[in-house]
Amino acid sequence: MNLIGVEVNHKVFGAGVIANVDEVNGRMDVQFKDGTKIFAFPQCFKQFISVSDETLKAELSALIAEDDRKKQEQAAKEAAEKAKKLELAKENEVIQAAKKPRAHFYPRKNIAFKCTYCDGGKSDSCIGFDGLCSDEQRHYNVFVGKRIWCSAEENLCRMCLDGKISKESLEEKYRENNAAVCYESNLFRSWSYEAGGVVNGINKGRPNTIRNVQTNSLCVLTTRKPNTDKTERYIFAVFIVIRSEEGDDLTAGKVIAHPKYRIALTEQESRQMCFWNYYQNKSDKAPYQWGSGLFRYINDATATNILRDIVKVKQNTADAPLAEEMLSYFTSING
């Protein structure tokens, strides 16, 4: 496209003539009455500069669209490379941290968490927990189920439903820092979980601590779908803990997954892993009642049974070798 000598009009400088175009470096020189001005090419034709010829205008629009596409591809590539570097750095950090001695020693136990259901990223191969909830699920968690964090006034999803922020703003905040929305929407990205805060009693609002979970403990993640009975709580993911943070008066305890030994179930697979088949309360009146606590400790025998059944559930799937290796690793490490 030869633009040299083409007459243009600028919103501020008025009429001018294109003196030079450098497509490699993305710049264009235009001669006006009061001198030569330099502009970014072809983006300057989006707002500031116009041409009268319709054919040339269409060609420039196509050129701008192609330039936008290349910039978007480059930005996506750079973002993916940055995310990969951060992921590798994080994995190395937790591996190194796991080698450091703990300040206190407690009898080692395994842990099961009660997770609020999140249908973000739900598909045939993913149960959810990988993105923002749908509008329907968000409304249920806030106003119907009244989940502790979801319904808090400072929660971003609650603010969106209350009209304090737009849905687009919520999505933008999630892209910037998905962990800021909730644990669940970020679960299959961070592969970590926090113990939250105390819900009732004199310690209400204080962070929960995790004292019995150590490296090589098993973490079991459980949930139940909206409008289902409390007996229908199922296991949807497990991981071997590589690092456990006890927590203190200001920070809740946290468990972080081994970079390899972690496995998620599909919704169909989860239906075969009812949590109450492995754990029941001692009370005859409420054997299947979780209550307000966010986590429960489970012993090695229960953890082993869970891993054995996951091996059965994952038979003839791509995750079968990993499930078998996790069981072997857990039993060999923990005797």
Side-chain angles (χ1 to χ4, degrees):
M1 183 188 308
N2 185 13
L3 296 174
I4 307 300
V6 172
E7 295 183 353
V8 298
N9 187 69
H10 190 276
K11 289 184 178 181
V12 176
F13 303 121
V17 177
I18 298 176
N20 183 55
V21 177
D22 185 353
E23 294 190 32
V24 175
N25 295 307
R27 58 171 282 173
M28 181 178 74
D29 301 342
V30 180
Q31 180 67 48
F32 297 99
K33 288 182 179 180
D34 57 348
T36 300
K37 307 292 182 183
I38 301 173
F39 301 94
F41 178 84
Q43 299 297 329
C44 61
F45 286 98
K46 269 188 173 181
Q47 297 179 338
F48 306 109
I49 297 180
S50 61
V51 294
S52 57
D53 185 274
E54 293 298 327
T55 301
L56 189 56
K57 190 181 296 184
E59 292 178 356
L60 286 168
S61 295
L63 193 62
I64 291 171
E66 177 63 17
D67 187 61
D68 287 340
R69 184 189 66 79
K70 289 180 178 179
K71 287 181 178 179
Q72 290 172 359
E73 286 183 352
Q74 181 62 28
K77 181 180 178 181
E78 291 175 356
E81 291 175 350
K82 182 179 179 180
K84 184 63 177 178
K85 289 180 180 178
L86 288 174
E87 182 180 354
L88 292 173
K90 183 177 180 180
E91 289 185 0
N92 183 64
E93 178 185 349
V94 297
I95 290 172
Q96 295 303 318
K99 298 178 180 179
K100 295 181 180 179
R102 292 169 62 96
H104 304 284
F105 294 92
Y106 302 95
R108 188 193 59 77
K109 294 183 180 179
N110 308 287
I111 193 167
F113 281 101
K114 176 179 69 173
C115 305
T116 297
Y117 178 67
C118 168
D119 62 355
K122 179 182 177 182
S123 66
D124 291 340
S125 60
C126 181
I127 195 171
F129 298 93
D130 191 21
L132 288 172
C133 284
S134 63
D135 292 341
E136 181 181 3
Q137 184 63 44
R138 188 179 300 119
H139 184 275
Y140 178 89
N141 289 342
V142 172
F143 296 118
V144 182
K146 296 182 180 179
R147 306 308 185 201
I148 299 298
W149 171 240
C150 301
S151 58
E153 291 187 0
E154 67 272 20
N155 179 272
L156 292 172
C157 291
R158 171 67 184 271
M159 292 174 66
C160 179
L161 291 173
D162 288 343
K164 295 180 180 178
I165 62 173
S166 66
K167 186 176 179 180
E168 291 74 18
S169 179
L170 172 63
E171 293 171 347
E172 179 62 29
K173 290 180 182 297
Y174 182 77
R175 285 192 293 270
E176 290 176 357
N177 179 17
N178 45 57
V181 176
C182 65
Y183 309 145
E184 283 80 2
S185 64
N186 183 49
L187 211 160
F188 287 152
R189 302 183 184 200
S190 69
W191 279 98
S192 63
Y193 209 75
E194 293 189 16
V198 179
V199 178
N200 298 310
I202 59 174
N203 291 321
K204 182 178 179 180
R206 292 186 60 183
N208 277 315
T209 57
I210 302 176
R211 295 183 175 179
N212 299 82
V213 179
Q214 301 172 15
T215 300
N216 295 323
S217 291
L218 182 70
C219 178
V220 179
L221 301 175
T222 78
T223 194
R224 66 184 178 96
K225 298 287 285 293
N227 301 311
T228 58
D229 188 78
K230 58 190 176 183
T231 60
E232 298 182 52
R233 176 167 298 280
Y234 52 79
I235 297 167
F236 68 91
V238 295
F239 62 78
I240 302 294
V241 175
I242 194 170
R243 179 161 61 96
S244 174
E245 299 174 359
E246 182 179 325
D248 51 36
D249 291 339
L250 299 176
T251 307
K254 182 178 182 179
V255 291
I256 300 170
H258 190 287
K260 180 179 181 181
Y261 295 127
R262 54 197 191 190
I263 194 164
L265 308 181
T266 65
E267 183 169 356
Q268 184 177 5
E269 292 167 345
S270 295
R271 293 301 182 184
Q272 304 174 56
M273 297 293 297
C274 177
F275 176 68
W276 303 116
N277 290 341
Y278 308 95
Y279 180 98
Q280 291 185 19
N281 296 317
K282 295 179 180 180
S283 170
D284 293 335
K285 294 182 179 179
Y288 311 123
Q289 180 70 43
W290 188 291
S292 59
L294 188 64
F295 62 86
R296 295 283 185 272
Y297 288 121
I298 57 177
N299 59 35
D300 284 346
T302 299
T304 302
N305 286 334
I306 290 172
L307 287 174
R308 282 175 177 159
D309 286 347
I310 287 179
V311 169
K312 296 176 184 177
V313 167
K314 286 293 186 180
Q315 280 183 342
N316 302 318
T317 71
D319 288 330
L322 176 59
E324 293 175 358
E325 189 174 342
M326 281 183 65
L327 172 61
S328 177
Y329 178 85
F330 183 79
T331 55
S332 63
I333 290 293
N334 297 310

